[in-house]
Amino acid sequence: MRRLLLSALGALPAALRAAPAGLNGRAVRGGRPAAAPDDGLSGTGGTAPVPDRHRPSPGRGRGDTVRAWTELFRVSALFSVPGDALAGAAAVGRSPGRGTALAIGASLCLYEAGMALNDWADREEDALDRPHRPIPSGRISPSAALGAAGALTAAGLALAARAGRPALAVATGLAATVWAYDLHLKHTKAGPAAMAAARSLDLLLGATATATAMSTATATSYAGTGPGPRATRPMRLGAVPPTGPDNVARAAGPARSPLAALPAALVLGAHTYGVTAVSRHEAQGGSTAVPLAVLATTTALAAAVLATHQRQRPGEPATPGPAATAPGSSYRPDHPHHPAAPSMLDLGAPLPGTYRPGHHPTAPALPDLGAPQPGTYRPGHHPHRPTAPALTPLLLTAFTGAYLRTAGPPLLHAALNPSPPLTQRAVGGGIRAMIPLQAALAARAGAPGSGLAVMALVPLARSLARKVSPT
């Protein structure tokens, strides 16, 4: 009896495996699948989700949530944003300051708002072409993405308002362009132009915020901050404005209007137009003419940046000619001790032993002693130390070459083989190429330090792009 019982138990698994099973894995009796209990999920007994629901992702932990939001925001493309404000500040002849920092913060918020809004608007299209995206895969709900877009837009406008009303006006136009593009213009012929306008406005936001902050700080310094006659007392001639907490953006050259940044904004907008035109074919591919046209545009933009470079540093006065000094006047525009043109007669040199205010005799020129002997030192002689004007053309050439090297090869590959993977790679290369282009625009405006700071973002963007796709 015991042996018979053991034999029956051993044959039971084999019998279960031999029995036919239905689509849902349940045993079949009499050649028909057993009735499945109705759990209320759908009319098929729970074997398919309701059409408006998504299947839950396999991992819904904290790490998976962070990963989903980084994919939604495309954080690897985030490093292409700070260079807009830095290039704008250089275009108006200012070093980065408080207004530039506020512009960078506002740009980052508006950029990420556009990313979230883009996926929310394309959620139905991505369900077919990109089901792995955070919203179609169910990792992020559509309402959460839309709420993040609204909150980031409000944060960006609030930061721009801290930089002044002109900056807020530019940021408002930028936010309106981003929302119009994502909600409607993206699928029209005006889509690339709208995206180009958004990137150009982003550079102008940096220029406007920097110039506004500097103008406010200068006005505050001259007017004074305390009550009483001191606040309205004019400064004496030649005095240096006091440095306060608001005077944080120093002049890197002659102050210029934010409209001076318009040429740089147009160059950056033209590049963005090309990248957006290529991105319209990244899901299906099949376009050869568009990558070729964008490659030609990229080459033309690089040549224009190099051709329009001014070798004269911003703030360096032109070589004074015969008309620089009017006859009978001791005033020279490039003299540091004359901030305003005084009206006085040239009385000639004062008598020996006497002093006359405003008289600064020219120091005699030192004889050219040539290079020092080997092993000796002469103060002021640095034969192997290049100056800033000599470094600027070299950096500009290097930045422009990096721009061509980053954007050119992917576009050529997409033109030769217009498949979706190569087209997406061309779009990613175009996004990353904005960084060296911004650095070149800053160096062209006479701010090689800002260009180097922008180029320092390239390794970060490249390493993060291997983990999170920028497209």
Side-chain angles (χ1 to χ4, degrees), residues 38-114:
D38 187 4
D39 58 3
L41 290 178
S42 68
T44 58
T47 57
V50 178
D52 59 347
R53 294 182 57 181
H54 301 285
R55 294 182 182 272
S57 60
R60 296 306 296 269
R62 183 180 182 86
D64 185 73
T65 302
V66 173
R67 171 78 181 183
W69 283 102
T70 56
E71 292 180 9
L72 180 75
F73 288 139
R74 296 175 175 88
V75 293
S76 60
L78 202 62
F79 297 99
S80 66
V81 178
D84 291 343
L86 293 177
V92 295
R94 298 296 182 186
S95 296
R98 175 177 176 271
T100 313
L102 290 173
I104 292 176
S107 299
L108 291 174
C109 290
L110 295 177
Y111 188 84
E112 294 294 38

Coordinates of all heavy atoms in Angstrom, one line a residue, residues 38-114:
D38 N -13.9 37.1 -12.5 CA -14.0 38.5 -12.9 C -13.5 39.4 -11.8 O -14.2 39.5 -10.8 CB -15.4 38.8 -13.3 CG -15.5 40.2 -14.0 OD1 -14.5 40.8 -14.2 OD2 -16.7 40.6 -14.3
D39 N -12.3 40.0 -12.0 CA -11.8 40.9 -11.0 C -12.1 42.4 -11.3 O -11.6 43.2 -10.6 CB -10.3 40.7 -10.8 CG -9.5 41.0 -12.1 OD1 -10.2 41.3 -13.1 OD2 -8.3 40.8 -12.1
G40 N -12.9 42.6 -12.3 CA -13.4 44.0 -12.5 C -12.4 44.8 -13.3 O -12.7 46.0 -13.5
L41 N -11.2 44.3 -13.7 CA -10.3 45.1 -14.5 C -10.7 45.4 -15.9 O -10.5 46.5 -16.4 CB -8.9 44.5 -14.5 CG -8.2 44.4 -13.1 CD1 -6.9 43.7 -13.3 CD2 -8.0 45.8 -12.6
S42 N -11.4 44.4 -16.5 CA -11.8 44.6 -17.9 C -12.9 43.5 -18.2 O -13.2 42.7 -17.3 CB -10.7 44.4 -18.9 OG -10.2 43.1 -18.9
G43 N -13.5 43.6 -19.4 CA -14.5 42.7 -19.7 C -14.0 41.3 -20.1 O -14.8 40.4 -20.4
T44 N -12.7 41.0 -20.0 CA -12.1 39.7 -20.4 C -11.6 39.0 -19.2 O -10.7 38.2 -19.2 CB -10.9 39.9 -21.4 OG1 -10.0 40.8 -20.8 CG2 -11.4 40.5 -22.7
G45 N -12.2 39.3 -18.0 CA -11.9 38.6 -16.9 C -10.5 38.9 -16.3 O -9.9 38.1 -15.6
G46 N -10.0 40.1 -16.6 CA -8.8 40.5 -15.9 C -7.6 40.2 -16.7 O -6.5 40.4 -16.3
T47 N -7.7 39.6 -17.9 CA -6.5 39.2 -18.7 C -5.9 40.3 -19.5 O -4.9 40.2 -20.0 CB -6.9 38.1 -19.7 OG1 -8.0 38.5 -20.5 CG2 -7.4 36.8 -19.0
A48 N -6.6 41.5 -19.5 CA -6.1 42.7 -20.2 C -6.4 43.9 -19.4 O -7.5 44.0 -18.8 CB -6.7 42.8 -21.6
P49 N -5.5 44.9 -19.4 CA -5.8 46.1 -18.6 C -6.9 47.0 -19.3 O -7.1 46.8 -20.5 CB -4.5 46.8 -18.5 CG -3.8 46.3 -19.7 CD -4.2 44.9 -20.0
V50 N -7.5 47.8 -18.5 CA -8.4 48.8 -19.0 C -7.6 49.7 -20.0 O -6.4 50.0 -19.8 CB -9.0 49.6 -17.9 CG1 -9.9 50.7 -18.4 CG2 -9.8 48.7 -17.0
P51 N -8.2 50.1 -21.1 CA -7.4 50.9 -22.1 C -6.8 52.2 -21.5 O -5.7 52.6 -22.0 CB -8.5 51.3 -23.2 CG -9.5 50.2 -23.1 CD -9.5 49.8 -21.6
D52 N -7.3 52.8 -20.5 CA -6.7 54.0 -20.0 C -5.8 53.8 -18.8 O -5.5 54.7 -18.1 CB -7.8 55.0 -19.6 CG -8.8 54.4 -18.5 OD1 -8.7 53.2 -18.3 OD2 -9.5 55.2 -17.9
R53 N -5.4 52.5 -18.6 CA -4.5 52.2 -17.6 C -3.2 51.6 -18.2 O -3.2 51.0 -19.3 CB -5.1 51.2 -16.6 CG -6.2 51.8 -15.8 CD -6.8 50.7 -14.8 NE -5.7 50.3 -13.9 CZ -5.9 49.4 -13.0 NH1 -7.1 48.8 -12.8 NH2 -4.9 49.0 -12.2
H54 N -2.1 51.8 -17.5 CA -0.8 51.3 -17.9 C -0.4 50.1 -17.0 O -0.7 50.1 -15.9 CB 0.3 52.4 -17.9 CG 0.0 53.6 -18.7 ND1 0.0 53.5 -20.1 CD2 -0.5 54.8 -18.4 CE1 -0.3 54.7 -20.6 NE2 -0.6 55.5 -19.6
R55 N 0.3 49.2 -17.6 CA 0.8 48.1 -16.8 C 1.9 48.7 -15.9 O 2.7 49.5 -16.3 CB 1.5 47.1 -17.7 CG 0.5 46.3 -18.6 CD 1.2 45.3 -19.4 NE 0.3 44.6 -20.3 CZ -0.5 43.5 -19.9 NH1 -0.3 43.1 -18.7 NH2 -1.3 42.9 -20.8
P56 N 1.9 48.3 -14.6 CA 2.9 48.8 -13.7 C 4.3 48.3 -14.1 O 4.5 47.2 -14.6 CB 2.5 48.2 -12.3 CG 1.7 46.9 -12.7 CD 1.0 47.3 -14.0
S57 N 5.3 49.1 -13.8 CA 6.6 48.8 -14.2 C 7.1 47.8 -13.2 O 6.6 47.7 -12.0 CB 7.5 50.0 -14.1 OG 7.5 50.6 -12.8
P58 N 8.1 46.9 -13.5 CA 8.6 45.9 -12.6 C 9.1 46.4 -11.3 O 9.0 45.8 -10.3 CB 9.6 45.2 -13.4 CG 10.0 46.1 -14.5 CD 8.8 47.0 -14.8
G59 N 9.8 47.6 -11.3 CA 10.3 48.1 -10.1 C 9.8 49.5 -9.8 O 9.9 50.4 -10.6
R60 N 9.1 49.7 -8.7 CA 8.5 51.0 -8.4 C 9.2 51.5 -7.1 O 8.5 52.2 -6.3 CB 7.0 50.8 -8.1 CG 6.3 50.4 -9.4 CD 6.5 51.3 -10.6 NE 6.1 52.7 -10.3 CZ 4.8 53.1 -10.6 NH1 4.0 52.3 -11.2 NH2 4.5 54.3 -10.3
G61 N 10.4 51.2 -6.9 CA 11.1 51.7 -5.7 C 11.6 53.2 -6.0 O 11.4 53.8 -7.0
R62 N 12.3 53.7 -5.0 CA 12.8 55.0 -5.0 C 13.8 55.2 -6.2 O 13.8 56.2 -6.9 CB 13.5 55.4 -3.7 CG 14.0 56.8 -3.6 CD 14.6 57.2 -2.3 NE 15.0 58.5 -2.2 CZ 14.2 59.5 -1.8 NH1 13.0 59.3 -1.5 NH2 14.7 60.8 -1.8
G63 N 14.7 54.2 -6.4 CA 15.6 54.3 -7.5 C 15.0 54.4 -8.8 O 15.4 55.1 -9.7
D64 N 13.9 53.6 -9.0 CA 13.2 53.6 -10.3 C 12.5 54.9 -10.5 O 12.4 55.3 -11.7 CB 12.2 52.4 -10.3 CG 11.5 52.3 -11.7 OD1 12.2 51.8 -12.6 OD2 10.4 52.6 -11.8
T65 N 12.0 55.5 -9.5 CA 11.3 56.8 -9.6 C 12.3 57.9 -10.0 O 12.0 58.7 -10.9 CB 10.6 57.2 -8.3 OG1 9.7 56.1 -8.0 CG2 9.9 58.5 -8.5
V66 N 13.4 57.9 -9.4 CA 14.5 58.9 -9.8 C 14.9 58.7 -11.2 O 15.1 59.6 -12.0 CB 15.6 58.8 -8.8 CG1 16.8 59.7 -9.3 CG2 15.2 59.2 -7.4
R67 N 15.1 57.4 -11.6 CA 15.5 57.1 -13.0 C 14.4 57.6 -14.0 O 14.7 58.2 -15.0 CB 15.7 55.6 -13.1 CG 15.9 55.1 -14.5 CD 17.3 55.4 -15.0 NE 17.5 55.0 -16.4 CZ 18.7 55.1 -17.0 NH1 19.7 55.5 -16.4 NH2 18.8 54.6 -18.2
A68 N 13.2 57.4 -13.6 CA 12.1 57.8 -14.5 C 12.1 59.4 -14.7 O 11.9 59.9 -15.8 CB 10.7 57.4 -14.0
W69 N 12.3 60.1 -13.6 CA 12.3 61.6 -13.8 C 13.5 62.1 -14.5 O 13.4 63.1 -15.2 CB 12.2 62.2 -12.4 CG 10.8 62.2 -11.8 CD1 10.3 61.3 -10.9 CD2 9.7 63.0 -12.2 NE1 9.0 61.5 -10.6 CE2 8.6 62.6 -11.4 CE3 9.5 64.0 -13.1 CZ2 7.3 63.2 -11.5 CZ3 8.3 64.6 -13.2 CH2 7.2 64.2 -12.4
T70 N 14.6 61.4 -14.3 CA 15.8 61.8 -15.1 C 15.6 61.6 -16.6 O 16.1 62.4 -17.4 CB 17.1 61.1 -14.6 OG1 16.8 59.7 -14.7 CG2 17.4 61.5 -13.2
E71 N 14.9 60.5 -16.9 CA 14.6 60.3 -18.3 C 13.6 61.3 -18.9 O 13.7 61.8 -20.0 CB 14.1 58.9 -18.5 CG 15.1 57.8 -18.3 CD 14.5 56.4 -18.5 OE1 13.4 56.3 -19.0 OE2 15.2 55.4 -18.1
L72 N 12.6 61.6 -18.0 CA 11.6 62.6 -18.5 C 12.3 64.0 -18.7 O 12.0 64.6 -19.7 CB 10.5 62.7 -17.4 CG 9.4 63.7 -17.7 CD1 8.5 63.1 -18.8 CD2 8.6 64.1 -16.5
F73 N 13.2 64.4 -17.8 CA 13.8 65.7 -17.9 C 15.0 65.7 -18.9 O 15.5 66.8 -19.2 CB 14.2 66.2 -16.6 CG 13.1 66.6 -15.6 CD1 13.1 66.3 -14.3 CD2 12.0 67.3 -16.1 CE1 12.1 66.6 -13.5 CE2 11.0 67.7 -15.3 CZ 11.0 67.3 -14.0
R74 N 15.4 64.5 -19.3 CA 16.6 64.4 -20.2 C 17.8 65.2 -19.6 O 18.3 66.2 -20.2 CB 16.2 64.9 -21.6 CG 15.2 64.1 -22.3 CD 14.8 64.7 -23.6 NE 13.9 63.9 -24.4 CZ 12.6 63.9 -24.3 NH1 12.0 64.8 -23.4 NH2 11.8 63.2 -25.0
V75 N 18.2 64.8 -18.4 CA 19.1 65.6 -17.7 C 20.5 65.7 -18.4 O 21.3 66.7 -18.1 CB 19.3 65.1 -16.2 CG1 18.1 65.2 -15.4 CG2 19.7 63.6 -16.3
S76 N 20.8 64.8 -19.3 CA 22.1 64.9 -20.0 C 22.1 66.1 -20.9 O 23.2 66.6 -21.3 CB 22.3 63.6 -20.8 OG 21.3 63.4 -21.7
A77 N 20.9 66.6 -21.4 CA 20.9 67.8 -22.2 C 20.9 69.1 -21.4 O 20.9 70.2 -22.0 CB 19.6 67.7 -23.1
L78 N 20.8 69.0 -20.1 CA 20.7 70.1 -19.2 C 22.0 71.0 -19.3 O 22.0 72.2 -19.0 CB 20.4 69.7 -17.8 CG 19.8 70.7 -16.8 CD1 18.5 71.1 -17.3 CD2 19.7 70.1 -15.4
F79 N 23.1 70.4 -19.6 CA 24.4 71.1 -19.6 C 24.5 72.0 -20.8 O 25.5 72.8 -20.8 CB 25.6 70.1 -19.6 CG 25.6 69.3 -18.4 CD1 25.1 68.0 -18.4 CD2 26.1 69.8 -17.2 CE1 25.2 67.2 -17.2 CE2 26.2 69.0 -16.0 CZ 25.7 67.7 -16.1
S80 N 23.6 72.0 -21.7 CA 23.6 72.9 -22.9 C 22.9 74.2 -22.5 O 22.8 75.1 -23.4 CB 23.0 72.3 -24.1 OG 21.6 72.1 -23.9
V81 N 22.4 74.4 -21.3 CA 21.7 75.6 -21.0 C 22.5 76.7 -20.4 O 22.4 77.9 -20.8 CB 20.5 75.2 -20.0 CG1 19.7 76.5 -19.6 CG2 19.6 74.2 -20.7
P82 N 23.4 76.5 -19.4 CA 24.1 77.6 -18.8 C 24.9 78.4 -19.7 O 25.1 79.6 -19.5 CB 25.0 76.9 -17.7 CG 24.4 75.6 -17.4 CD 23.7 75.2 -18.7
G83 N 25.4 77.9 -20.8 CA 26.2 78.6 -21.7 C 25.5 79.7 -22.4 O 26.1 80.7 -22.9
D84 N 24.2 79.6 -22.5 CA 23.4 80.7 -23.1 C 23.5 82.0 -22.3 O 23.8 83.1 -22.9 CB 21.9 80.3 -23.2 CG 21.6 79.2 -24.1 OD1 22.5 78.9 -25.0 OD2 20.6 78.6 -24.1
A85 N 23.4 81.9 -21.0 CA 23.5 83.2 -20.2 C 24.9 83.7 -20.2 O 25.1 84.9 -20.2 CB 23.0 82.9 -18.8
L86 N 25.9 82.8 -20.1 CA 27.3 83.2 -20.1 C 27.7 83.9 -21.4 O 28.4 84.9 -21.4 CB 28.2 82.0 -19.8 CG 28.1 81.4 -18.4 CD1 29.0 80.2 -18.3 CD2 28.4 82.4 -17.3
A87 N 27.2 83.3 -22.5 CA 27.5 84.0 -23.8 C 26.8 85.3 -24.0 O 27.3 86.3 -24.5 CB 27.1 83.1 -25.0
G88 N 25.6 85.4 -23.4 CA 24.8 86.7 -23.4 C 25.5 87.7 -22.6 O 25.6 88.9 -23.0
A89 N 26.0 87.3 -21.4 CA 26.7 88.3 -20.6 C 28.0 88.8 -21.3 O 28.3 90.0 -21.2 CB 27.1 87.7 -19.2
A90 N 28.7 87.9 -21.9 CA 29.9 88.3 -22.7 C 29.6 89.2 -23.8 O 30.3 90.2 -24.1 CB 30.7 87.1 -23.2
A91 N 28.4 89.0 -24.5 CA 28.0 89.8 -25.6 C 27.8 91.3 -25.2 O 27.9 92.2 -26.0 CB 26.8 89.3 -26.3
V92 N 27.3 91.5 -24.0 CA 27.1 92.9 -23.5 C 28.3 93.5 -22.8 O 28.2 94.5 -22.2 CB 25.8 93.0 -22.6 CG1 24.6 92.6 -23.4 CG2 26.0 92.1 -21.4
G93 N 29.4 92.8 -22.8 CA 30.7 93.3 -22.2 C 30.7 93.3 -20.7 O 31.3 94.1 -20.1
R94 N 30.0 92.3 -20.1 CA 30.0 92.2 -18.7 C 30.5 90.8 -18.2 O 30.3 89.8 -18.9 CB 28.6 92.4 -18.1 CG 28.0 93.7 -18.4 CD 28.8 94.8 -17.7 NE 28.2 96.1 -18.0 CZ 28.7 97.2 -17.5 NH1 29.9 97.2 -16.9 NH2 28.2 98.4 -17.8
S95 N 31.1 90.7 -17.1 CA 31.5 89.5 -16.5 C 30.3 88.9 -15.8 O 29.4 89.6 -15.4 CB 32.6 89.7 -15.5 OG 33.8 90.1 -16.1
P96 N 30.2 87.6 -15.6 CA 29.0 87.0 -14.9 C 28.9 87.5 -13.5 O 29.8 87.7 -12.8 CB 29.3 85.5 -14.9 CG 30.3 85.3 -16.1 CD 31.1 86.6 -16.1
G97 N 27.6 87.8 -13.2 CA 27.3 88.3 -11.8 C 26.0 87.7 -11.3 O 25.6 86.7 -11.7
R98 N 25.4 88.5 -10.4 CA 24.2 88.0 -9.8 C 23.1 87.9 -10.8 O 22.3 86.9 -10.8 CB 23.7 89.0 -8.7 CG 22.4 88.7 -8.1 CD 22.1 89.7 -7.0 NE 20.7 89.5 -6.4 CZ 19.6 90.1 -6.9 NH1 19.7 90.9 -7.9 NH2 18.5 89.8 -6.3
G99 N 22.9 88.8 -11.7 CA 21.9 88.7 -12.8 C 22.2 87.5 -13.7 O 21.2 86.8 -14.1
T100 N 23.4 87.2 -14.0 CA 23.7 86.0 -14.8 C 23.3 84.7 -14.1 O 22.7 83.8 -14.7 CB 25.2 86.0 -15.1 OG1 25.6 87.3 -15.6 CG2 25.5 85.0 -16.2
A101 N 23.6 84.7 -12.8 CA 23.2 83.5 -12.0 C 21.7 83.3 -12.0 O 21.2 82.2 -12.1 CB 23.7 83.6 -10.6
L102 N 20.9 84.4 -11.8 CA 19.5 84.3 -11.8 C 19.0 83.9 -13.2 O 18.0 83.1 -13.3 CB 18.9 85.6 -11.5 CG 19.0 86.1 -10.0 CD1 18.6 87.5 -9.8 CD2 18.3 85.1 -9.1
A103 N 19.6 84.4 -14.3 CA 19.2 84.0 -15.6 C 19.5 82.5 -15.9 O 18.7 81.8 -16.5 CB 20.0 84.8 -16.7
I104 N 20.6 82.0 -15.4 CA 20.9 80.6 -15.5 C 19.8 79.7 -14.8 O 19.3 78.7 -15.3 CB 22.3 80.2 -15.0 CG1 23.3 80.9 -15.9 CG2 22.5 78.7 -14.9 CD1 24.8 80.7 -15.5
G105 N 19.5 80.1 -13.6 CA 18.5 79.4 -12.8 C 17.1 79.4 -13.5 O 16.4 78.4 -13.6
A106 N 16.7 80.6 -14.1 CA 15.5 80.7 -14.8 C 15.5 79.8 -16.1 O 14.5 79.2 -16.4 CB 15.2 82.1 -15.1
S107 N 16.6 79.8 -16.8 CA 16.7 79.1 -18.0 C 16.6 77.6 -17.7 O 15.9 76.8 -18.5 CB 18.0 79.4 -18.7 OG 18.1 80.7 -19.1
L108 N 17.3 77.1 -16.7 CA 17.2 75.7 -16.3 C 15.8 75.3 -16.0 O 15.3 74.2 -16.4 CB 18.1 75.4 -15.1 CG 19.6 75.5 -15.4 CD1 20.4 75.3 -14.1 CD2 20.1 74.4 -16.4
C109 N 15.0 76.1 -15.2 CA 13.7 75.8 -14.9 C 12.8 75.7 -16.1 O 12.0 74.8 -16.3 CB 13.1 76.8 -13.9 SG 13.9 76.7 -12.2
L110 N 12.9 76.7 -17.0 CA 12.1 76.8 -18.2 C 12.4 75.6 -19.2 O 11.6 75.1 -19.9 CB 12.2 78.1 -18.9 CG 11.7 79.3 -18.1 CD1 11.9 80.6 -18.8 CD2 10.2 79.1 -17.8
Y111 N 13.7 75.3 -19.2 CA 14.1 74.2 -20.1 C 13.5 72.9 -19.7 O 13.0 72.1 -20.5 CB 15.6 74.1 -20.1 CG 16.2 73.2 -21.1 CD1 16.4 73.6 -22.5 CD2 16.6 71.9 -20.8 CE1 17.0 72.7 -23.4 CE2 17.1 71.0 -21.7 CZ 17.3 71.4 -23.0 OH 17.8 70.5 -23.9
E112 N 13.6 72.6 -18.4 CA 13.0 71.4 -17.9 C 11.5 71.4 -17.9 O 10.9 70.3 -18.1 CB 13.5 71.1 -16.4 CG 15.0 70.9 -16.3 CD 15.5 69.6 -17.0 OE1 14.9 69.2 -18.0 OE2 16.3 68.9 -16.4
A113 N 10.9 72.5 -17.8 CA 9.4 72.6 -17.9 C 9.1 72.2 -19.4 O 8.1 71.5 -19.6 CB 9.0 74.0 -17.6
G114 N 9.8 72.6 -20.3 CA 9.6 72.3 -21.7 C 9.7 70.8 -21.9 O 9.0 70.2 -22.7

